Amino acid sequence: MHQPVTRPSQDQKFPPAINIIALAGFSAALSTRALDPVLPHVADDFAISITTAASIAAGFALIYALVQPAIGAAADLFGKARLMTACLALLGVACILGALATSFAGLFASRILAGIAAGGVFPVALGLTADLVAPAKRQVAIGRTMAGSMTGNLLGSSASGIIGDFIGWRGVLVILGALGLIAAVAVVAGFRGAALTAPPKTDLKTLKQGYRTIFANPNTRFCYSAVFVEGCCVFGLFPFIAAFLFDLGEKSLSIAGIVIAGFAVGGLFYTLTVSRMLPRLGVKGMMIAGASIVALQLAALAFGPGWKLQFASMLAMGWGFYMIHGCLQVFASELSIGARATAMSLHSFFFFMGQTVGPLAYGFGLAHAGKGPTLLTSAAIMVVLGLVCARLLKQRAPSDAQA
């Protein structure tokens, strides 16, 4: 259950393992949005449309989502840290295979493999964080874990645009692959020396009971539905940012990367301010304010401002997005104690299903209604989402909390 949140003092330090978890999230996040700024060049190389090239993002998100129920069960059965580090190694291999692709189908397949690998890192990292930190400090600790992932998103999108301008999109994937393999070795070594509590013994019967516990919680349907809508309305937009800038005459991939990275900068700003904002606004206020900020920025982008203003809008959007999303992550971490990795993986399943539908929905809307109506519709949906979440999500202890 949510507890009053205060700024961590010097006698309330987080376990050192939190930093290792943040490093794992950083390594995986580097490749998540790395191809978004270079999609126009991918489209040119394979002689396909930008909408077809954007299907890479949808495919990555879809497979990421589909593996989540299995990832959560595997993490609870075999150990979260072990699964997470193995997936980092697989992610590095997948990126290198993508760089060697000779057809769009080959590149698409490599991104599917990368989605499977990435699916074993971030949600499991959140589950580990929740295991290590008490509820009173959990949202701030999750914010620190998210800071690692958001830094990866920031560098992945911004650096890929710069690298793409010099050595192409294949060079982007080679570098990401090498970094992923190096990170896998480093994280394995780090966890070996970390003072982690032994994972609970879990069997298939316990996992089945965990699913019952999760779906018996009234918060489940609202929490998972909300992250689906978030993924659709917010992240579904990202594959089209570079194309929007191209339409304005801004052809530099570096600029596209910088604009997309603005979202991650806003997310980092959230991690620096969450411990102050949460006691003042409360959970409901955070969700309403965050959704409203996102809606305002979607509306601003609909009018096609210059890239500097778009960067500012993306920064504000990232800040607002994580205000609501961070609250939803905490609700998800409290759906079950014994099956927390499963609950967090289901949370990611619905979030990335939204990111799968999002690019397709935006593509349809842009083709049939135009940029303005499509983005304004997303803005209206986000306002409604914040109000509904604030009204329907309640603070409830998990039914297996006694265990």
Side-chain angles (χ1 to χ4, degrees):
M1 190 167 61
H2 293 294
Q3 303 292 334
V5 177
T6 58
R7 290 184 66 188
S9 61
Q10 296 195 359
D11 59 342
Q12 292 177 313
K13 293 181 179 178
F14 295 123
I18 296 296
N19 296 325
I20 302 171
I21 295 168
L23 173 62
F26 168 81
S27 302
L30 277 172
S31 67
T32 303
R33 307 232 68 90
L35 288 187
D36 286 353
V38 298
L39 282 180
H41 283 197
V42 172
D44 289 342
D45 281 358
F46 292 117
I48 56 177
S49 69
I50 186 65
T51 300
T52 301
S55 66
I56 291 176
F60 182 98
L62 175 61
I63 195 63
Y64 190 117
L66 292 178
V67 301
Q68 291 310 303
I71 287 292
D76 283 327
L77 278 171
F78 304 115
K80 301 180 183 71
R82 183 182 302 170
L83 179 66
M84 185 169 62
T85 51
C87 286
L88 280 171
L90 178 60
L91 181 60
V93 171
C95 288
I96 293 174
L97 290 176
L100 300 175
T102 57
S103 67
F104 180 71
L107 175 61
F108 190 93
S110 74
R111 296 309 290 167
I112 295 296
L113 184 61
I116 295 172
V121 179
F122 183 62
V124 177
L126 294 180
L128 272 172
T129 302
D131 286 346
L132 290 165
V133 180
K137 298 188 291 180
R138 189 170 294 154
Q139 186 155 351
V140 178
I142 286 177
R144 180 172 295 185
T145 301
M146 287 169 58
S149 296
M150 286 182 286
T151 303
N153 281 329
L154 170 62
L155 293 179
S157 58
S158 58
S160 70
I162 297 171
I163 294 169
D165 275 333
F166 285 97
I167 59 175
W169 61 269
R170 294 181 188 275
V172 171
L173 288 176
V174 168
I175 292 174
L176 289 174
L179 291 175
L181 293 174
I182 293 170
V185 174
V187 174
V188 167
F191 271 114
R192 184 178 299 150
L196 291 173
T197 303
K201 299 295 182 182
T202 306
D203 53 27
L204 292 176
K205 182 179 179 181
T206 305
L207 286 174
K208 185 177 180 181
Q209 181 58 42
Y211 273 103
R212 285 187 185 142
T213 300
I214 292 167
F215 285 99
N217 193 315
N219 281 340
T220 298
R221 62 183 182 274
F222 303 124
C223 184
Y224 290 163
S225 297
V227 295
F228 174 85
V229 174
E230 280 185 328
C232 187
C233 290
V234 178
F235 284 85
L237 175 66
F238 283 22
F240 299 96
I241 294 293
F244 290 165
L245 291 168
F246 272 40
D247 290 342
L248 295 174
E250 186 54 70
K251 304 294 185 179
S252 170
L253 296 180
S254 300
I255 295 299
I258 290 171
V259 170
I260 294 171
F263 187 89
V265 175
L268 289 172
F269 183 68
Y270 160 82
T271 67
L272 297 174
T273 58
V274 58
S275 61
R276 297 180 180 88
M277 290 190 301
L278 189 57
R280 295 177 183 176
L281 297 179
V283 173
K284 291 185 178 181
M286 289 276 284
M287 290 191 288
I288 293 173
S292 299
I293 292 171
V294 170
L296 285 173
Q297 305 319 311
L298 287 170
L301 291 173
F303 295 98
W307 75 266
K308 293 179 182 178
L309 289 178
Q310 287 200 37
F311 172 82
S313 287
M314 291 296 289
L315 188 153
M317 188 188 297
W319 181 46
F321 170 79
Y322 284 106
M323 286 175 68
I324 179 172
H325 189 68
C327 295
L328 294 174
Q329 284 178 321
V330 173
F331 276 113
S333 75
E334 295 170 2
L335 296 175
S336 171
I337 299 296
R340 181 168 280 141
T342 300
M344 297 306 295
S345 291
L346 286 171
H347 176 275
S348 289
F349 168 79
F350 285 99
F351 184 43
F352 276 83
M353 282 301 294
Q355 294 189 44
T356 301
V357 174
L360 304 178
Y362 269 104
F364 180 85
L366 292 168
H368 293 85
K371 179 179 177 182
T374 301
L375 268 66
L376 291 174
T377 299
S378 290
I381 291 172
M382 286 302 301
V383 171
V384 173
L385 180 69
L387 295 173
V388 169
C389 287
R391 180 174 178 82
L392 298 180
L393 286 171
K394 308 294 183 182
Q395 298 176 3
R396 296 180 175 95
S399 60
D400 60 353
Q402 295 83 359

